[in-house]
Amino acid sequence: MKKKVVAVIIAAMTVLAGCGGEGGESQSPVQTVKPVVIVDETESTPETTEELATTPEPEEREGMYRSELTNEWIDESLQNQRPIAVMVDNEKTALPHYGLTQADVVYEMMNSTANGRVTRFMAIVKDWDSLTQFGSIRSTRETNIYLVGEWNAILCHDGGPYFVMGNSEANYKGLIAQKDYCDNLSGIFPRVENGKPSEFTEYIVQDDRSVKKSGKTVAEGISSKGYSVEYNEYYIGPHFTFSSQEFDLSGESGAFDCNEIQLKPFEHNNSRLEYNETTGTYDYYEYGEPHLDPENGNAQLSFENLIIQKCSFSVHEPAKEGYFIYNCLGSGEGYFITNGTAIDITWEKGGEAENGSGASLTVFRNKATGEEIVLNTGKTYIALVPDDTWNTIVIK
């Protein structure tokens, strides 16, 4: 009888080793792991798991390495290349977003306390030279500057308020200039003819498609500023610890199902992430519609890992302008979600040198065990949610 190969998922318990923040080591929590097992099926299937032969993931692939951002295999030529962090407008007028499915990590956070607390994305992209169109690009805020240092990324944006960019007339040095680790490219990218107001037209563009006003590519911008393309002295090291095998959190103390999370605090666009059992990812929705990427065949924006971070904030005066800063230097709580299950977590981000000479990582820990969380291979979504509306989050 002809043999048929069948992929079978079996549950197993394993202890995964992780590392603590800032280079320290810690033991990761016990988690339910799902190794892929290959069965040779003849007239009958094996009666015991001992008869099943596992196929381990290869430790090396020629010419490739595991990305420090996703744990996915990518070209080894990228190993020392710094990522970029792109500020992406999330007003409905800015849709559709181009290229966002190529981001490795996507932050979403309130951009202003005004306008229904409209959010903005900060997309971390390792292989930025492969982008053909990405954006549209808008201004940055103080919180993004503190976060970009965690990745040694180059911040791509279009200006920002005076407390970010500075004010020469008032002899005020903005936060970007105060932080030596924050290399940035502001307002240098091409403007695309898309029939929208000018603030919605700036994109990273690598070719001449519909370009209304020329600008620089990422590589040209980096070169013009004299920045290092490779990780520099401000690089802290890999941000996350990844599991060597796919797992879920169902064996964790206090774990609960999460097939959908509605981020009601983001009332302007009503962000929602829905678990897709077929792909094992969380699909992103906003403004009542699936988030599709026309630069990638209208692919759905989706993530393997979700981190939802509760964070307090302070409002700049005058408050009516809506400018604020998350109090992201400190500690708090949140959720870690993967493969249909969630756990409660805590987070902490240490202070920084007053002279701006160093950033610090945000470390996420299992609230029940105190151990640093371990992520599944793939893309990660991180939401910074205001603490005053935290209780409006809906998890199903």
Side-chain angles (χ1 to χ4, degrees), residues 89 93-94 135-139 158 187 189-203 212-213:
D89 195 335
T93 307
S136 59
I137 299 171
R138 289 296 292 273
S139 61
D158 190 0
F189 301 105
R191 298 283 178 167
V192 171
E193 182 63 70
N194 59 8
K196 299 177 182 180
S198 61
E199 64 263 34
F200 302 103
T201 63
E202 185 176 358
Y203 296 83
K212 180 179 180 181
K213 182 180 178 181

Side-chain angles (χ1 to χ4, degrees), residues 124-274:
I124 313 295
V125 184
K126 176 75 170 176
D127 187 10
W128 41 261
D129 202 42
S130 68
L131 302 178
T132 51
Q133 183 170 342
F134 198 96
S136 59
I137 299 171
R138 289 296 292 273
S139 61
T140 190
R141 297 289 185 268
E142 292 163 295
T143 308
N144 305 104
I145 296 168
Y146 286 112
L147 294 176
V148 77
E150 302 191 13
W151 306 91
N152 196 216
I154 297 169
L155 183 62
C156 301
H157 62 110
D158 190 0
Y162 75 92
F163 41 82
V164 169
M165 302 302 294
N167 186 323
S168 57
E169 293 182 4
N171 196 28
Y172 177 79
K173 190 177 182 180
L175 188 64
I176 281 183
Q178 295 174 33
K179 300 299 178 182
D180 293 343
Y181 60 75
C182 186
D183 290 342
N184 75 106
L185 303 174
S186 177
I188 69 164
F189 301 105
R191 298 283 178 167
V192 171
E193 182 63 70
N194 59 8
K196 299 177 182 180
S198 61
E199 64 263 34
F200 302 103
T201 63
E202 185 176 358
Y203 296 83
I204 291 172
V205 180
Q206 304 283 33
D207 54 32
D208 294 327
R209 67 176 75 186
S210 305
V211 172
K212 180 179 180 181
K213 182 180 178 181
S214 62
K216 291 181 171 64
T217 64
V218 174
E220 290 168 344
I222 293 173
S223 177
S224 69
K225 287 291 194 85
Y227 296 150
S228 171
V229 172
E230 297 188 342
Y231 287 123
N232 61 21
E233 67 270 27
Y234 301 114
Y235 181 49
I236 305 170
H239 197 298
F240 293 132
T241 301
F242 292 93
S243 171
S244 60
Q245 300 179 87
E246 185 186 1
F247 69 89
D248 65 42
L249 297 164
S250 57
E252 290 294 321
S253 174
F256 52 95
D257 292 340
C258 180
N259 293 308
E260 181 182 345
I261 180 166
Q262 299 175 9
L263 295 173
K264 298 288 188 180
F266 299 156
E267 58 186 85
H268 185 90
N269 64 321
N270 287 309
S271 306
R272 179 171 66 88
L273 293 115
E274 184 176 319

Side-chain angles (χ1 to χ4, degrees), residues 239-358:
H239 197 298
F240 293 132
T241 301
F242 292 93
S243 171
S244 60
Q245 300 179 87
E246 185 186 1
F247 69 89
D248 65 42
L249 297 164
S250 57
E252 290 294 321
S253 174
F256 52 95
D257 292 340
C258 180
N259 293 308
E260 181 182 345
I261 180 166
Q262 299 175 9
L263 295 173
K264 298 288 188 180
F266 299 156
E267 58 186 85
H268 185 90
N269 64 321
N270 287 309
S271 306
R272 179 171 66 88
L273 293 115
E274 184 176 319
Y275 185 55
N276 185 328
E277 291 188 8
T278 301
T279 61
T281 59
Y282 284 86
D283 295 337
Y284 182 86
Y285 296 77
E286 65 174 350
Y287 298 106
E289 300 289 340
H291 187 289
L292 305 179
D293 182 1
E295 198 61 18
N296 189 16
N298 281 327
Q300 172 88 50
L301 181 62
S302 60
F303 305 91
E304 281 74 16
N305 307 290
L306 309 181
I307 296 174
I308 315 300
Q309 183 179 348
K310 179 181 179 181
C311 197
S312 62
F313 61 95
S314 303
V315 180
H316 288 283
E317 294 294 338
K320 65 179 181 179
E321 293 183 355
Y323 292 133
F324 78 103
I325 180 172
Y326 277 114
N327 300 319
C328 62
L329 299 178
S331 60
E333 58 185 306
Y335 302 118
F336 171 48
I337 305 166
T338 190
N339 263 338
T341 311
I343 58 171
D344 292 308
I345 61 172
T346 62
W347 63 267
E348 58 191 47
K349 179 175 170 66
E352 301 180 306
E354 291 184 3
N355 62 3
S357 60

